[in-house]
Amino acid sequence: MSLKEKIDLDRLPSHIAIIMDGNGRWAKQHGQLRVFGHRNGITAVREAAEAAAELGVKYLTLYAFSTENWNRPRVEVNALMQLLLQTINQEVTTLNKNNIRLHAIGDLESLPPRNRKHLQKVMDETANNSRMTLTLALSYSSRWEIVEVARKLADQIHSGQCKPEEVNQQCIEKLLSTHDMPDPELLIRTSGEMRISNFMLWQIAYAELYFTPTLWPDFRRDDLYKAILDFQCRERRFGKTSEQIQNVKKQE
Ligand code: FPP
């Protein structure tokens, strides 16, 4: 039985988020510059997206460029922006063929104008696709997002749209860049690092975390299947006791 066949399709995580890490180390292992690792990471992006869509995962979110990544050497930042531009333009046909919608979250205003323009074009061209939403987190960080939410809330209070005592979790969720998708149920990080690195801090409150030593450019379909199988062995309690969860299952 293959790994794919072992997956229970009725218990798939509806949203998987991935911190793609290890491109630089992979390039070093191959005696190449860091950019070589990023370029080879594109195969892994394609594999993860196609495998997730084929299984029936509805949302896949990839941490492609963090707010902090702007502090990397200029040459690496430029290469990443170029790679992003090239990839989204090249992949539009495949996205449409696979019925995948491209979406982006983050401080998109800070991207080079050419990237912004092409990203918007591909998002528009795939907007009606319904099999899966592939979200790229670009110039994204959770603290940036939370500050944005705080500003918008302050505006709403200032303009009388909302009273301070009315602020609740739903008000915040509506203002997050992920307001139109469910929270990730499974968060994967590659390369053996066990950190969250400022990614979706609000949204992963109850996500199952999965860390793999595989470096991102080596990530393939089977790595995704392994993560999902691991997820399916977990008991998700959401603050309740194990007995409460088991009782609900028996009643179903
Ligand atoms: C982390 O590895 C990876 C990134 C900062 C960029 C991820 C980008 C890609 C896979 C390519 C572009 C993506 C899309 C969706 C078009 P690292 O450089 O931090 O690796 P290291 O920790 O080994 O140095």
Side-chain angles (χ1 to χ4, degrees):
M1 204 181 196
S2 69
L3 285 172
K4 189 180 180 186
E5 286 163 347
K6 286 185 187 160
I7 294 175
D8 178 351
L9 296 179
D10 294 328
R11 290 193 304 120
L12 278 179
S14 62
H15 185 174
I16 300 179
I18 307 184
I19 303 176
M20 307 182 286
D21 196 12
N23 295 353
R25 276 162 284 168
W26 188 90
K28 202 169 177 190
Q29 282 177 7
H30 289 76
Q32 299 280 345
L33 297 174
R34 299 177 56 78
V35 174
F36 183 72
H38 298 316
R39 270 196 223 112
N40 280 276
I42 299 300
T43 310
V45 169
R46 208 175 285 129
E47 287 255 327
E50 287 180 9
E54 273 168 29
L55 284 173
V57 171
K58 297 307 286 179
Y59 298 89
L60 177 68
T61 300
L62 304 177
Y63 202 6
F65 193 87
S66 74
T67 311
E68 291 76 22
N69 286 153
W70 290 113
N71 300 322
R72 291 197 172 193
R74 195 75 235 150
V75 61
E76 184 173 345
V77 171
N78 290 345
L80 274 167
M81 289 300 138
Q82 184 57 35
L83 189 59
L84 174 71
L85 191 63
Q86 205 181 311
T87 309
I88 52 176
N89 285 331
Q90 266 169 12
E91 298 297 322
V92 62
T93 316
T94 317
L95 289 169
N96 280 327
K97 203 175 83 199
N98 287 293
N99 196 11
I100 298 174
R101 176 172 84 105
L102 186 76
H103 181 54
I105 55 169
D107 183 10
L108 305 182
E109 292 296 309
S110 68
L111 296 175
R114 231 153 62 101
N115 283 52
R116 237 171 33 223
K117 188 176 139 211
H118 285 263
L119 186 63
Q120 192 54 56
K121 186 168 169 278
V122 178
M123 289 197 294
D124 292 343
E125 284 172 12
T126 60
N128 294 325
N129 294 344
S130 56
R131 191 181 187 194
M132 185 180 83
T133 297
L134 171 63
T135 302
L136 300 182
L138 291 167
S139 192
Y140 173 90
S141 80
S142 211
R143 288 185 178 179
W144 165 82
E145 182 179 41
I146 290 167
V147 169
E148 287 296 299
V149 170
R151 282 197 186 132
K152 288 176 192 158
L153 261 183
D155 267 351
Q156 289 183 355
I157 290 167
H158 185 67
S159 67
Q161 258 178 283
C162 164
K163 294 192 184 111
E165 59 275 21
E166 288 168 354
V167 174
N168 58 22
Q169 293 194 17
Q170 282 73 32
C171 299
I172 294 175
E173 270 154 16
K174 271 192 215 154
L175 295 173
L176 287 168
S177 55
T178 51
H179 60 89
D180 48 1
M181 53 179 114
D183 287 342
E185 290 174 88
L186 171 61
L187 172 70
I188 300 171
R189 182 173 188 146
T190 59
S191 92
E193 304 292 350
M194 297 193 192
R195 291 190 289 277
I196 301 303
S197 299
N198 215 348
F199 188 46
M200 297 183 120
L201 298 178
W202 175 283
Q203 296 90 335
I204 60 163
Y206 284 102
E208 296 298 325
L209 308 183
Y210 179 85
F211 299 99
T212 168
T214 304
L215 302 176
W216 180 249
D218 286 330
F219 194 89
R220 292 293 176 271
R221 285 161 185 262
D222 272 357
D223 295 288
L224 185 78
Y225 301 151
K226 277 183 207 159
I228 295 174
L229 285 166
D230 191 273
F231 167 85
Q232 293 189 333
C233 292
R234 311 262 183 109
E235 182 181 66
R236 307 193 70 213
R237 292 202 289 272
F238 302 97
K240 294 185 179 164
T241 67
S242 186
E243 288 71 23
Q244 285 175 299
I245 303 295
Q246 295 307 326
N247 284 342
V248 172
K249 273 193 191 153
K250 274 183 214 150
Q251 283 160 20
E252 279 171 2

